Amino acid sequence: MYSAEENYLATILVEGEIVTEAQVEDAKGQRKGTESLAETLIRTGQAKEVDIARCCAVTYGMDFVELTHVTPAKEIVDMVKLEDARRYGMVPIGFDQNRLEIAIGDPFDTDTIDSLNHVLGYDVNASISSPEQINDAIGRWYDEAIGGADADTDLVVLSESSGGDSGGGDAGAAANDAPVIKLVGQILKESFNAGASDIHIEPLEKSVRVRYRIDGVLHEVANHPRNLLSSIIARIKIMTGAMSIAEKRLPQDARIQLRLGDKDLDLRVSTIPTNHGESVVMRVLDKTALNLGLVQLGFLSDDQATFEQLITLPDGILLVTGPTGSGKTTTLYACLNYINKPDRKIITVEDPVEYQMSGINQVMVKEDVGMTFAAALRSILRQAPNIIMIGEIRDLETASIAINASLTGHLVFSTLHTNDAPSAVARMADIGVKRFLIASAVRAIIAQRLIRKLCPECKTPGELNEREIKALGLDAAQMNDSTIMTPDGCVKCRATGYKGRAGIFEIFQIDDEVRHMVNENLSTPQLRRQAREIGMRTLREDGIRKVLNGMTSASEIIHVTMSDAS
């Protein structure tokens, strides 16, 4: 069933002689999923988008603007942010006597039109144009803001297929149209310029939402017309060179390899069917992480010295723990980069191999052909490595091989999903590893989280309020000689006050007393107390040090370490 608005649109189009009643009824029968009436009419070729927009303009007593014939001055374009233009599906076209003239694609969205006065800070006079022309105008007028989207030569897709998947139908053909190629290129370029870690393209009931995750926080940057969804998804699939355009019922995973100017970029692409169509997430694999030093990870000098000592041990297991997205893999790669020398053979087992590192043998898990973590580990031990990195310890077999390797003269790095460092002992025991083996093999456990760093361009000196002092458990002595900074917001940080991320850490070193406690099956709280006694700082305590030296804000540490309040 169509909504009252769409039934009204049908009446308008019939009275305007754009379509006949028979064509409206035919469109209702050909509707796909949550497709709107206008989208069905356009897809089936019974009406053109521009004719629908013209008819709506006449009915609403609004002007229709042919945007292909309009080129507003740059200062007028600059009056509306790119993200607002995309979010509301509108563009500025003129300015007169404190009234901003805009063109909008959805005349039914009266709430948006009414709210634009407040959003844009001007009295707004709206005209109508077609969503396609508005999208094209955004691409043309905001090219400079996104790094020259017309200069397609600076974005080269290295993994792209020909797009000749015969099952793709209309979507496959549309994916190769210049406007769609340009739109997807704009999304990618803008995300890279913004420093996004992943890109989300999500189908909603009446639009396609684009969001970027920047410094761990999702930001909505655009809403595109719903009828562009299949073309955008098909274009992304073609760029992978491995996904099927025709397959829309099952999840798919692949990669896109790009070259933007002189930078090589890698995206991990995942699609999944939802109730409104296929949703895509593209994770940006930042190869600069390969060259990170321990300082860039966020270690302060004393923790850095401890960590350097641990990762150069001749044998044993070093575990990095934390939830998904806490930067564990980046830390492991930084470790390998630090110790990667010609006299050491390093082999990794990963699922998947995210970054290719020079001088390191990397093995990718392929469970469908029997190459599991355990199978790979059994084989690589015969390759006589000095150092082994296991992407994640997931089961007893993998854990047992890792422990045996560490007890026979290998240094093993791996990750676990636990909330803090001492909990890793209980997690290993839950997997089925005998406690005396844990005590013998594990040298240290590092728990970590990622925090947002204050933007260096706009952070300002400040003071902690009473609530923050109480929440962090600070006293006057701790605040002596501190450098408290607070977020402000500028163009460089997208007005958030934060730019970039770093880690906070707790380093739990396993000494003889801890080994005895592990053998005696003592509880996690008891292990945690002992860890504190021998010098382990908690995540929150490490975060407090980074508040006091001006790296981040108190509110960020309170939020990230909420479970570590003790």
Side-chain angles (χ1 to χ4, degrees):
M1 294 292 291
Y2 286 113
S3 66
E5 287 177 348
E6 290 179 311
N7 287 329
Y8 179 53
L9 175 63
T11 302
I12 292 172
L13 297 179
V14 171
E15 291 177 352
E17 299 182 351
I18 304 299
V19 294
T20 64
E21 290 185 1
Q23 286 176 313
V24 171
E25 290 303 314
D26 183 51
K28 290 180 179 179
Q30 295 192 56
R31 181 187 186 189
K32 290 184 177 180
T34 58
E35 200 172 48
S36 70
L37 172 61
E39 289 170 340
T40 306
L41 290 170
I42 294 165
R43 178 178 56 80
T44 57
Q46 298 182 82
K48 294 181 178 178
E49 191 173 74
V50 67
D51 292 334
I52 294 174
R54 286 182 187 276
C55 187
C56 290
V58 171
T59 302
Y60 279 82
M62 300 169 72
D63 292 332
F64 177 83
V65 180
E66 189 76 51
L67 291 177
T68 54
H69 301 151
V70 175
T71 306
K74 184 178 183 300
E75 54 266 27
I76 291 175
V77 175
D78 290 344
M79 296 173 79
V80 176
K81 296 178 182 178
L82 172 60
E83 51 263 40
D84 287 335
R86 287 183 168 172
R87 183 177 295 117
Y88 299 108
M90 47 76 65
V91 288
I93 55 175
F95 187 75
D96 183 42
Q97 296 181 348
N98 203 38
R99 182 179 292 271
L100 182 64
E101 304 285 338
I102 67 168
I104 194 162
D106 185 1
F108 293 108
D109 193 357
T110 53
D111 289 341
T112 291
I113 296 173
D114 291 341
S115 65
L116 283 174
N117 294 288
H118 172 71
V119 171
L120 301 178
Y122 302 101
D123 291 333
V124 168
N125 183 46
S127 299
I128 294 178
S129 189
S130 70
E132 183 179 17
Q133 288 192 18
I134 287 174
N135 235 8
D136 182 63
I138 291 173
R140 288 186 288 115
W141 301 349
Y142 288 91
D143 274 350
E144 185 179 344
I146 60 173
D150 274 332
D152 290 330
T153 55
D154 67 350
L155 180 64
V156 180
V157 184
L158 305 177
S159 53
E160 184 168 358
S161 70
S162 64
D165 188 334
S166 59
D170 293 339
N176 287 313
D177 289 345
V180 174
I181 293 173
K182 185 174 180 178
L183 174 60
V184 174
Q186 288 173 354
I187 291 171
L188 294 177
K189 288 181 183 181
E190 188 182 67
S191 70
F192 300 148
N193 292 340
S197 60
D198 43 72
I199 306 161
H200 298 250
I201 299 176
E202 303 160 317
L204 305 181
E205 186 175 359
K206 294 184 178 181
S207 64
V208 181
R209 180 172 65 180
V210 179
R211 295 192 289 175
Y212 302 152
R213 190 183 301 277
I214 303 170
D215 295 335
V217 179
L218 278 171
H219 299 267
E220 184 175 329
V221 296
N223 273 283
H224 297 295
R226 183 68 172 72
N227 62 322
L228 290 178
L229 175 65
S230 58
S231 301
I232 292 172
I233 302 298
R235 173 61 188 159
I236 292 169
K237 288 181 175 180
I238 288 172
M239 292 172 73
T240 68
M243 286 184 168
S244 170
I245 299 173
E247 182 55 75
K248 301 180 180 180
R249 300 164 300 173
L250 296 173
Q252 296 187 67
D253 295 283
R255 281 189 169 192
I256 296 175
Q257 294 177 300
L258 302 169
R259 180 169 295 133
L260 180 58
D262 59 354
K263 289 182 64 177
D264 286 335
L265 301 163
D266 214 354
L267 304 177
R268 189 194 296 176
V269 183
S270 170
T271 69
I272 191 168
T274 71
N275 57 331
H276 292 306
E278 284 187 284
S279 175
V280 175
V281 174
M282 293 180 279
R283 182 181 174 193
V284 182
L285 301 179
D286 183 5
K287 294 186 179 182
T288 59
L290 298 180
N291 300 317
L292 286 180
L294 301 184
V295 175
Q296 287 77 18
L297 290 179
F299 284 105
L300 298 180
S301 57
D302 53 348
D303 281 345
Q304 180 179 335
T306 301
F307 196 68
E308 287 176 356
Q309 181 183 9
L310 290 171
I311 64 178
T312 53
L313 290 172
D315 55 33
I317 293 180
L318 181 68
L319 292 173
V320 181
T321 76
T324 300
S326 60
K328 300 186 297 295
T329 302
T330 300
T331 297
L332 288 183
Y333 275 116
C335 290
L336 296 183
N337 186 54
Y338 182 84
I339 60 179
N340 185 13
K341 302 289 189 297
D343 62 340
R344 296 169 182 166
K345 179 156 186 171
I346 303 174
I347 302 182
T348 73
V349 184
E350 305 172 64
D351 183 19
V353 173
E354 293 194 2
Y355 308 101
Q356 295 184 5
M357 299 186 72
S358 176
I360 292 178
N361 300 279
Q362 295 172 272
V363 178
M364 185 166 75
V365 169
K366 295 181 180 179
E367 296 195 358
D368 54 337
V369 295
M371 178 66 89
T372 62
F373 273 107
L377 279 171
R378 281 193 296 270
S379 297
I380 68 174
L381 286 175
R382 291 191 286 272
Q383 296 283 313
N386 302 104
I387 298 161
I388 301 169
M389 191 268 271
I390 306 169
E392 182 184 350
I393 292 179
R394 300 177 178 177
D395 52 45
L396 176 58
E397 188 175 13
T398 303
S400 298
I401 297 171
I403 285 176
N404 288 334
S406 72
L407 294 175
T408 53
H410 302 85
L411 180 60
V412 179
F413 297 99
S414 191
T415 70
L416 275 179
H417 287 276
T418 64
N419 288 329
D420 62 6
S423 298
V425 173
R427 173 65 181 145
M428 292 281 282
D430 288 342
I431 290 174
V433 181
K434 292 181 172 57
R435 284 185 169 262
F436 77 89
L437 291 175
I438 300 173
S440 301
V442 178
R443 297 289 180 265
I445 305 165
I446 294 94
Q448 71 175 67
R449 297 290 188 278
L450 290 178
I451 56 165
R452 293 181 297 167
K453 296 191 294 184
L454 291 170
C455 174
E457 300 291 331
C458 65
K459 64 181 180 181
T460 57
E463 296 180 353
L464 302 182
N465 59 42
E466 289 186 12
R467 183 189 65 81
E468 291 170 334
I469 292 172
K470 183 176 180 181
L472 296 177
L474 292 171
D475 56 40
Q478 288 176 285
M479 297 179 67
N480 289 337
D481 301 322
S482 64
T483 308
I484 306 296
M485 306 295 284
T486 57
D488 190 3
C490 65
V491 174
K492 293 287 182 68
C493 63
R494 301 172 68 91
T496 63
Y498 298 90
K499 189 170 180 61
R501 290 197 287 177
I504 53 173
F505 307 91
E506 58 181 33
I507 301 176
F508 180 21
Q509 297 188 71
I510 310 298
D511 64 5
D512 289 340
E513 179 61 28
V514 173
R515 289 190 185 92
H516 175 72
M517 295 175 71
V518 172
N519 278 323
E520 293 297 313
N521 199 19
L522 297 184
S523 67
T524 298
Q526 289 172 303
L527 288 176
R528 189 171 181 80
R529 282 194 293 272
Q530 178 62 24
R532 298 294 303 280
E533 287 181 13
I534 61 177
M536 184 190 84
R537 270 185 294 269
T538 66
L539 291 167
R540 172 158 286 193
E541 287 169 343
D542 191 38
I544 289 170
R545 294 201 301 164
K546 287 161 187 175
V547 171
L548 298 179
N549 73 8
M551 180 186 293
T552 189
S553 67
S555 59
E556 179 72 2
I557 294 301
I558 292 169
H559 170 71
V560 171
T561 62
M562 190 67 70
S563 62
D564 191 37
S566 61

